[in-house]
Structure formats: C-alpha cells, structure tokens
Amino acid sequence: MLLRSTLIYGPATLFTRLGALLFVVVATRIVDQHEYGILTLVVTVGELIDLAVTEWMRIALLRLGGKGEVSRGSLLQAGRILTGTTVLAFLLAAPASLFVLPERWLEFFIAICVYLIAGAISRFALLVLQLQQRHTAYMLLEFLRAFLQLALPLMTMVMDHNSFLTVSIASNLGTLIAGLVAGVTAARKIVPGPSRFTSREFFSLGVPIIAAVLVSFGLHSVERVVLNEFHGAASVAVFAAIFSLARQPINTIANAVNTGSFPEAVGRFDERGPDAASAFFTQVMALIISLSLPAAALLIALSDDLVTLILPPNYSGHHTILFAIITLTVIIANVTSFVFNAMVHAHKRPQLLIVNNTIGSMVGIALCFVLIPGMSEVGAALALAGGAVTNMIVSIIISHRLTPISVPWRAIAYAVLVALGTAGAAALATQELQFLPVFFRLGFASLAGGLVFLGLNAALHPKVTLKKLAMVRARLSVRGETS
C-alpha cells in the first residue's frame, strides 16, 4: 500500500519539483543576481508566515475532517478560519518586510501578500481533493500548477528581468489559477452535512502547531536572513540556487511518500491503535531512507557537473560540500517531520513539538551567527544541519515517550550500501567520460548510477524482486492472450 500511494503521488510531486528546478535554471540566467536573491527571500519569509498561520490547517483537517466524503459544513468552518488566519498573515508580513528589506519594504510586502493568498487557496483546494481520495484529480492539478508556475514567470522575465516583484507575482498567479481550478473540481464532490468538528476542537489542535512553527524559525529560514545581513542578497542567491538543486530531488521522494502515508497512518492509529501506527511509521522511515540516501549520494557525486550545466558561472561556490551537507540535512528533516513528528500528530499532542522545535531552532540560530560571518554559504548549510540534527534527537525522545517507533536498521544498512555503490558508479563514469560534453556526461553517469541502484536493490531484496517480476510477466501474458 505504502509503495503504491508513493507511486500515485510521485509523478505529481516530481513534475512540481522539476518545474521548480527549471525555474532555477532559467531565473539564475535571466534575473539579476541581486534580484534573484531577494526573490528567494520572499519565498523564505512567505513560507515562514504561511507555515505559522495557515499550513497548520492541513494537519488539522486531515486529523479531524475524515477521509472519503467531505461535508460542506466542515469546509465552511475551515474556510472561515482560513480567511481569518490569512488576514493575520498580512499583518505579520508588514513588519517582516520592514526588517528584511527596509529600503524596498513595500514591494517585498506586496510580493509576500500575493504569495500568501495564492498559497492558501491552492493548498486548501488540493487538501480537499486529498481528503476525498481523488488521487488522479490531485495529480493532474499539481501538473497544471507546476506548468503555470514555470510558464507565467518565464513570460514575465522576458519583459522585465530586473524586478523580483513582477516575477514573484507571475509565479504566484500560476499557483492561484491552479488553486481555483482545483477548488471548482473539489466542490463537485462535496456532500451536504454539518461540520465534523467545532471551532474549539480545530483551534485546540491548531494553536500548538502554530506555536511549534513559530519557534522553528532557526530550523529552515533564519540562515538566509543572516546570510543577507552579513554577505548580501547575491550570496543568498548562490546559497538558495544550490540549496534548491540539492533539495528538490530528495523532497520529491519524501513528499511523495508522505502525501499518501500520513492519512493512512492516522487512520491506522484511530482504527487499530498506536502499535499499528508505529509499525507503519517504521515502514515509512525505511522507504524514505532507502530511496533518499542513494539519491543524495548520486547528487553529491554529480554535483560539479550539475552546477556547471544548470547554474551560470557567477553562482560558483563550494559545490560538493554544499550538496553533501544540504542533501543529508534534508533527509534528516524529512524523517523527523514525516515519521517522529507525525507520531506526535497521530496522538493529537502537537504542543509537544514546541520543545524539539525550540531547542533545534536555538541551536540553528546560534550556529548561524557563529559560522556564517566567516564561512558564508557553507556556514549557512552547517548551521542548518546542526539545527536539524538537534531537532531530530529531541523529536525521537518525545515520540518514544508516546509510542516507540522501531528503527529499520537493516533497511538503513542496505541503503548505505546502495548509496555507496550508486555514487561510486556515477563518479567513475564521470571521471572516465571527461571528454564528453557535460550534458552527455551527466546522462551516462546518471544511467550508470541508476543501473547499479536497481541491481543492488535486486540483489539485496531477491524475494521482492522475483515477486515483482512474476507480476509483470503475468500482466504481459494476459495482455498477449487478449490481443
């Protein structure tokens, strides 16, 4: 079931991340480097405010709204709350803009407000589709969002490549259009009926999530703000571009797993109890690590060629070490969020997340001011890693006190072996094919790493491999008979 849901949501997640990657490729070449740095700060500040005042609704609705049929009363209740939290987000955006970019705060404020409106509408509509278990519609609308988020900014860049505001508005316009289409699609399947929860229940679950997000600033946002203060927006642009290249493939995998796994996990928790949810979370952890670690190793092995191919020369930096730190940090953050923190949400005890987020954030902020002044982008990556590791350790302790989650040590050991083999094959291919243009060298090296990945997984999991091959042969034989 877990692998099936991952494969269902995987294409939509992949297409969205691919669109974001293509955006980086184009924007870093067309948009002024300073303006691109400010554009990434818009996303950083917008994400932080969005997480604090609106993103919590996703978890609350998934936890309280049920699965399958979604009642009109539940959505009206959530919609009223969403409207109020979005207005609150605008109020927070003004002082944040004055702090981050005082000389152009009004442009920054407008960009963040557009980001917040588009994100709230799109996320809410897609969440309803997820609750309705309409996987195909969800996937197609994510495709639409990814396409529009790439196409509209590209057209804007051609006309005005020296303004972060126009590019930001164009990108979020794509999100808004896709969100409105998703809303119309979801509305057709909404059933009559009262709300399944009260405002009190919704806020009792949501307020601790908001508090946990507010104290997590040092875990995923502060490094860019501090980097901007010490080294300027151009340095932020370099860090953000490489961060995006390193993060997107890893997040594609983890988000595809989590989109289907979280509703299933809380469903098992409610129906079968904590132990059933714990066993399922162990499977989630094993799948995330088994897929993410080899992908990270491949990215690290190919980092120099990737940067050469994708980014312009003025975005040069410590590529390999940044890729290594960022990819491993993202894996740690995903396992923490989608496994250990998810268990806390299953218990409806999100207030406990304030503890690990606070401790991790304090460590991350302290490391930012220690490391970034002298180490610039590498210091930002190390600070991010320090906060993520601390957050994970405390999160493991907290979730263990609720319901222990077994660590899949065998799966992790296998993932390490596969990752080493994948990276080794890719690095060897890259070294031997230096005479080829970088695009073809990357293609052959990726192919070599991919083949080793498949071969090692087949060797380490022979029973599963034989079972899958038998299923494929059976399907092919049935098709052959029918034709």
Side-chain angles (χ1 to χ4, degrees):
M1 176 272 156
L2 182 57
L3 184 59
R4 179 176 175 271
S5 68
T6 302
L7 293 174
I8 289 173
Y9 287 108
T13 307
L14 176 62
F15 196 77
T16 302
R17 301 291 173 176
L18 182 60
L21 180 62
L22 291 174
F23 177 81
V24 172
V25 175
V26 177
T28 52
R29 283 171 164 77
I30 298 178
V31 179
D32 177 81
Q33 186 174 355
H34 182 79
E35 294 296 303
Y36 181 77
I38 298 175
L39 182 63
T40 64
L41 287 172
V42 169
V43 176
T44 299
V45 177
E47 280 183 351
L48 177 65
I49 297 174
D50 190 41
L51 284 169
V53 298
T54 59
E55 168 63 10
W56 62 275
M57 293 189 64
R58 173 183 176 273
I59 296 172
L61 269 177
L62 285 172
R63 200 67 191 89
L64 300 174
K67 187 171 66 173
E69 291 186 344
V70 181
S71 70
R72 182 176 290 108
S74 295
L75 294 185
L76 288 174
Q77 184 86 291
R80 285 191 292 267
I81 297 171
L82 177 63
T83 302
T85 56
T86 303
V87 172
L88 176 61
F90 294 161
L91 298 177
L92 294 174
S97 302
L98 283 167
F99 176 78
V100 175
L101 201 70
E103 68 276 12
R104 298 171 67 183
W105 76 270
L106 184 57
E107 293 175 81
F108 200 82
F109 173 71
I110 293 171
I112 291 177
C113 288
V114 174
Y115 176 95
L116 292 170
I117 294 171
I121 293 173
S122 176
R123 187 180 299 107
F124 188 70
L126 289 171
L127 174 58
V128 177
L129 290 174
Q130 189 180 354
L131 287 168
Q132 293 171 337
Q133 301 288 287
R134 298 172 67 185
H135 307 304
T136 302
Y138 183 102
M139 182 173 63
L140 292 174
L141 287 162
E142 277 289 74
F143 285 156
L144 175 63
R145 181 171 70 90
F147 171 75
L148 292 175
Q149 274 194 301
L150 179 62
L152 295 181
L154 285 181
M155 291 187 288
T156 304
M157 288 178 210
V158 174
M159 296 181 288
D160 184 4
H161 59 272
N162 287 319
S163 172
F164 76 90
L165 179 59
T166 55
V167 177
S168 179
I169 290 175
S171 176
N172 290 303
L173 180 60
T175 302
L176 179 61
I177 293 171
L180 293 172
V181 175
V184 172
T185 304
R188 295 172 180 171
K189 297 290 184 178
I190 294 172
V191 300
S195 175
R196 296 184 178 181
F197 51 85
T198 64
S199 297
R200 182 182 179 86
E201 290 174 321
F202 207 63
F203 278 110
S204 65
L205 187 63
V207 170
I209 299 174
I210 295 171
V213 171
L214 287 175
V215 298
S216 69
F217 182 62
L219 293 174
H220 48 67
S221 300
V222 74
E223 77 284 345
R224 298 187 190 190
V225 176
V226 177
L227 193 60
N228 181 56
E229 287 297 314
F230 282 101
H231 299 281
S235 184
V236 175
V238 173
F239 177 78
I242 295 179
F243 184 87
S244 183
L245 294 182
R247 181 186 66 170
Q248 296 294 356
I250 309 301
N251 269 357
T252 298
I253 295 168
N255 285 325
V257 175
N258 180 63
T259 302
S261 69
F262 184 73
E264 178 66 23
V266 296
R268 293 192 184 196
F269 185 96
D270 292 338
E271 296 166 8
R272 307 182 203 173
D275 290 339
S278 175
F280 186 74
F281 278 127
T282 298
Q283 297 176 39
V284 173
M285 191 192 318
L287 184 60
I288 289 176
I289 293 175
S290 296
L291 296 176
S292 298
L293 204 56
L298 184 64
L299 286 168
I300 295 167
L302 302 178
S303 58
D304 284 339
D305 283 345
L306 281 170
V307 171
T308 300
L309 176 67
I310 294 174
L311 298 180
N314 55 328
Y315 281 75
S316 60
H318 305 280
H319 306 145
T320 302
I321 189 170
L322 281 174
F323 266 81
I325 297 169
I326 291 169
T327 52
L328 295 178
T329 300
V330 173
I331 293 173
I332 291 169
N334 285 334
V335 171
T336 302
S337 179
F338 300 151
V339 177
F340 299 108
N341 289 354
M343 176 59 84
V344 178
H345 286 302
H347 278 272
K348 297 182 181 178
R349 306 267 313 265
Q351 66 272 16
L352 295 177
L353 299 179
I354 298 172
V355 178
N356 60 299
N357 282 354
T358 299
I359 297 173
S361 189
M362 290 173 63
V363 171
I365 292 171
L367 289 174
C368 280
F369 285 99
V370 171
L371 299 175
I372 288 177
M375 301 177 69
S376 191
E377 295 93 355
V378 174
L382 288 172
L384 196 64
V389 171
T390 304
N391 184 45
M392 182 184 216
I393 292 171
V394 182
S395 180
I396 290 172
I397 295 171
I398 291 172
S399 64
H400 185 81
R401 293 175 69 88
L402 296 174
T403 301
I405 300 174
S406 299
V407 178
W409 293 112
R410 177 177 292 184
I412 292 174
Y414 284 171
V416 171
L417 289 175
V418 174
L420 292 174
T422 301
L428 181 61
T430 299
Q431 188 65 31
E432 294 298 322
L433 298 174
Q434 285 295 314
F435 60 90
L436 289 177
V438 64
F439 178 81
F440 294 104
R441 188 164 66 241
L442 266 174
F444 284 117
S446 300
L447 178 62
L451 290 174
V452 170
F453 170 81
L454 294 174
L456 287 175
N457 271 295
L460 292 171
H461 305 94
K463 292 183 179 179
V464 176
T465 303
L466 291 174
K467 183 179 178 180
K468 294 296 182 183
L469 288 175
M471 291 173 59
V472 172
R473 282 197 297 268
R475 290 182 180 180
L476 290 176
S477 63
V478 170
R479 290 181 181 179
E481 292 173 1
T482 56
S483 62

